[in-house]
Coordinates of all heavy atoms in Angstrom, one line a residue:
L84 N -30.7 -202.6 -170.4 CA -30.5 -203.2 -171.7 C -31.8 -203.5 -172.5 O -32.8 -203.7 -171.9 CB -29.7 -204.5 -171.6 CG -28.3 -204.4 -170.9 CD1 -27.6 -205.7 -170.7 CD2 -27.4 -203.4 -171.6
A85 N -31.7 -203.7 -173.8 CA -32.8 -204.0 -174.6 C -32.4 -204.8 -175.8 O -31.2 -204.7 -176.3 CB -33.6 -202.8 -175.1
G86 N -33.3 -205.6 -176.3 CA -33.0 -206.4 -177.5 C -33.5 -205.6 -178.8 O -34.6 -205.2 -178.8
Q158 N -41.3 -211.5 -171.2 CA -40.6 -212.5 -171.9 C -39.2 -212.0 -172.3 O -39.1 -210.9 -172.8 CB -41.3 -213.0 -173.2 CG -42.7 -213.5 -173.0 CD -43.7 -212.4 -173.0 OE1 -43.5 -211.3 -173.6 NE2 -44.9 -212.6 -172.4
F159 N -38.2 -212.9 -172.2 CA -36.9 -212.6 -172.9 C -37.0 -213.1 -174.3 O -37.2 -214.4 -174.5 CB -35.8 -213.2 -172.1 CG -34.4 -212.8 -172.6 CD1 -33.9 -211.6 -172.1 CD2 -33.8 -213.5 -173.6 CE1 -32.6 -211.2 -172.6 CE2 -32.5 -213.1 -174.0 CZ -32.0 -211.9 -173.6
I160 N -37.0 -212.3 -175.3 CA -37.3 -212.7 -176.7 C -36.0 -213.2 -177.3 O -35.0 -212.5 -177.4 CB -37.8 -211.5 -177.5 CG1 -39.0 -210.9 -176.8 CG2 -38.1 -211.9 -178.9 CD1 -40.4 -211.6 -177.0
V180 N -37.1 -204.5 -177.6 CA -37.9 -205.2 -176.6 C -37.1 -205.2 -175.3 O -35.9 -205.4 -175.3 CB -38.3 -206.7 -176.9 CG1 -39.5 -206.7 -177.8 CG2 -37.1 -207.4 -177.5
E181 N -37.8 -205.1 -174.2 CA -37.3 -205.3 -172.9 C -38.4 -205.7 -171.9 O -39.5 -206.0 -172.4 CB -36.5 -204.1 -172.4 CG -37.1 -202.7 -172.7 CD -38.2 -202.3 -171.7 OE1 -39.2 -203.0 -171.6 OE2 -38.0 -201.2 -171.1
M182 N -38.1 -205.7 -170.6 CA -39.1 -206.3 -169.7 C -39.7 -205.5 -168.6 O -40.4 -206.0 -167.7 CB -38.4 -207.6 -169.1 CG -38.0 -208.6 -170.2 SD -37.1 -210.0 -169.6 CE -38.5 -210.9 -168.8
S205 N -28.3 -204.6 -176.3 CA -27.3 -205.6 -175.9 C -27.4 -206.9 -176.8 O -26.5 -207.7 -176.8 CB -27.7 -206.1 -174.5 OG -29.0 -206.6 -174.5
D206 N -28.4 -207.0 -177.6 CA -28.6 -208.2 -178.5 C -29.7 -207.9 -179.5 O -30.3 -206.8 -179.5 CB -29.0 -209.4 -177.6 CG -30.4 -209.1 -176.9 OD1 -31.4 -209.4 -177.5 OD2 -30.4 -208.5 -175.8
A208 N -32.4 -209.8 -180.1 CA -33.7 -210.6 -179.8 C -33.7 -211.8 -180.7 O -34.8 -212.2 -181.2 CB -34.9 -209.7 -179.9
A212 N -29.4 -214.1 -178.5 CA -29.7 -213.0 -177.5 C -29.2 -213.3 -176.1 O -28.6 -212.4 -175.5 CB -31.2 -212.8 -177.5
F216 N -26.5 -210.9 -174.4 CA -27.0 -210.2 -173.3 C -26.1 -210.4 -172.1 O -25.6 -209.4 -171.5 CB -28.4 -210.7 -172.9 CG -29.0 -210.1 -171.6 CD1 -29.6 -208.8 -171.7 CD2 -28.9 -210.7 -170.4 CE1 -30.1 -208.3 -170.5 CE2 -29.4 -210.2 -169.3 CZ -30.0 -208.9 -169.3
Ligands
ADE13 N1 -33.5 -207.2 -172.6 C1 -32.3 -207.3 -173.3 N2 -32.5 -208.1 -174.4 C2 -33.8 -208.6 -174.3 C3 -34.5 -209.5 -175.1 N3 -34.0 -210.1 -176.1 N4 -35.8 -209.7 -174.7 C4 -36.4 -209.1 -173.6 N5 -35.7 -208.2 -172.9 C5 -34.4 -208.0 -173.2

Side-chain angles (χ1 to χ4, degrees):
L84 302 179
Q158 299 86 26
F159 187 86
I160 306 279
V180 278
E181 42 82 299
M182 302 177 70
S205 58
D206 63 87
F216 176 84

